[in-house]
Amino acid sequence: MNKKPEVSVVVPAYNVEEYIGQCLKSILKQTFENIEILCIDDGSRDRTVDIIREYMAKDGRIRLLEQEHQYAGAARNAGIDASRGAYLLFWDADDFFEETAVEEMYREIRKEDSDICICNARQYDTRTGTYKMPKYYLNKKYLPSQIPFSAETVPEYIFNITTNVAWNKMYKKEFVEREGLRFETVQRANDQFFVMLSLAKAKKIAATDEMLINYRINNSQSLTGGFSISPLSSFETLMRIQEALKELKVWRKVEQSFVNKALNGMLYSLKIQTRIHGFITLYNKMKTEGFAQLGITGR
């Protein structure tokens, strides 16, 4: 592929032989064709790499990078480093995407030269084959009438407008590099830090209410499926984010939004624990000191 791509789609992949085909098919069908697809295999032990190579033989826009198992954050960072596009998407290998997804997000982010574009999404239940439309991927209750927006214009809701996932956002690469944004190389919640710091730093954030992402749930291979292995991961990440926001001197401005986000996040973390030990560990941490450390106590 000689033509420089305008958008780089970064796809970390780890033991997703069951889903990677559907994922790649949906990306290759995008109406916006000037893209590169960077598949970063994170040390898969199944047929994931073989399937990616099969698709590479059919379409030269796909590139494969391979690394030892270092988790999705490290894979996404490798994708940033290898990308050639002016804009970045971080899509998961077990999800699939509407064919206009790149086109619509690209149009919105370019309209006012924004740093980020957020889109809406729906959930696809692997067990039942049905869709759910939750409100939190793009929470219109907190979305301002004036778009693009930023932490300057809606500091009290900046983190509540969307979730801490990277896959429903397009990023300007120049913004990511200028601000030194990197994904954490931890097993779980590796995109929380990246997403929340990017929302705090962006000068302009665009949005589209179109449901462009189909996020797979009830997938046994998903990282959130075994959250009790490291029940404090989300809490520890939030503490690092809090410290970073204080260093940026924006803490007082966004404190309300952060605290609400942290409270919702910790309650959700309790809800999705799969083992009693994980639940007790997180519950006791929050009760004894966690809520206080996150600034939730007393509100």
Side-chain angles (χ1 to χ4, degrees), residues 92-107:
D92 289 351
D94 54 352
D95 297 334
F96 55 102
F97 314 94
E98 298 301 304
E99 64 181 20
T100 59
V102 177
E103 181 180 354
E104 296 199 31
M105 295 180 78
Y106 180 77
R107 182 178 63 245

Side-chain angles (χ1 to χ4, degrees), residues 190-209:
N190 67 78
D191 48 358
Q192 281 193 75
F193 190 94
F194 182 97
V195 171
M196 291 186 72
L197 265 290
S198 70
L199 292 172
K201 291 183 173 188
K203 301 300 182 186
K204 293 180 181 180
I205 303 172
T208 173
D209 190 34

Side-chain angles (χ1 to χ4, degrees), residues 51-242:
I51 296 170
I52 293 171
R53 290 190 188 279
E54 290 172 8
Y55 279 88
M56 286 175 65
K58 301 173 185 176
D59 198 307
R61 292 176 297 172
I62 302 176
R63 295 163 59 195
L64 172 64
L65 288 73
E66 297 181 69
Q67 66 179 33
E68 302 262 332
H69 188 39
Q70 302 171 59
Y71 307 117
R76 292 187 179 114
N77 289 337
I80 294 173
D81 295 338
S83 64
R84 300 188 298 145
Y87 296 90
L88 298 166
L89 285 166
F90 301 98
W91 283 353
D92 289 351
D94 54 352
D95 297 334
F96 55 102
F97 314 94
E98 298 301 304
E99 64 181 20
T100 59
V102 177
E103 181 180 354
E104 296 199 31
M105 295 180 78
Y106 180 77
R107 182 178 63 245
E108 293 302 321
I109 202 170
R110 293 270 295 176
K111 188 183 295 184
E112 305 244 7
D113 191 27
S114 297
D115 296 317
I116 304 170
C117 177
I118 306 168
C119 76
N120 214 334
R122 60 182 182 172
Q123 296 176 344
Y124 174 74
D125 192 314
T126 305
R127 295 175 187 166
T128 65
T130 58
Y131 292 92
K132 299 178 182 179
M133 284 73 167
K135 298 178 180 179
Y136 41 73
Y137 294 121
L138 184 67
N139 196 326
K140 289 180 280 187
K141 177 181 178 181
Y142 301 121
L143 195 65
S145 57
Q146 186 65 40
I147 296 175
F149 59 93
S150 70
E152 289 292 326
T153 59
V154 283
E156 68 274 29
Y157 300 121
I158 188 62
F159 303 129
N160 315 112
I161 290 170
T162 185
T163 56
N164 290 339
V165 296
W167 45 256
N168 74 327
K169 300 167 182 71
M170 177 179 281
Y171 291 89
K172 185 196 294 184
K173 184 179 178 180
E174 186 273 333
F175 162 69
V176 170
E177 293 182 328
R178 183 183 71 241
E179 297 297 340
L181 294 167
R182 304 289 282 184
F183 289 90
E184 293 193 304
T185 55
V186 293
Q187 185 175 8
R188 287 176 172 77
N190 67 78
D191 48 358
Q192 281 193 75
F193 190 94
F194 182 97
V195 171
M196 291 186 72
L197 265 290
S198 70
L199 292 172
K201 291 183 173 188
K203 301 300 182 186
K204 293 180 181 180
I205 303 172
T208 173
D209 190 34
E210 295 295 319
M211 292 187 179
L212 303 175
I213 315 295
N214 298 294
Y215 171 65
R216 196 181 296 273
I217 62 172
N218 285 330
N219 166 20
S220 61
Q221 293 175 312
S222 173
L223 282 178
T224 54
F227 221 87
S228 287
I229 296 172
S230 50
L232 298 180
S233 60
S234 186
F235 166 75
E236 292 165 350
T237 300
L238 284 168
M239 290 298 297
R240 291 191 292 271
I241 293 168
Q242 182 187 70

Side-chain angles (χ1 to χ4, degrees), residues 15-49:
N15 290 345
V16 284
E17 63 179 8
E18 187 176 354
Y19 308 118
I20 187 65
Q22 184 181 17
C23 171
L24 291 177
K25 281 180 185 176
S26 69
I27 301 175
L28 293 174
K29 287 181 179 178
Q30 292 297 306
T31 54
F32 189 96
E33 297 182 348
N34 188 15
I35 63 175
E36 66 174 349
I37 305 159
L38 296 170
C39 295
I40 297 89
D41 182 70
D42 188 39
S44 294
R45 299 185 300 273
D46 62 1
R47 292 192 64 251
T48 295
V49 169

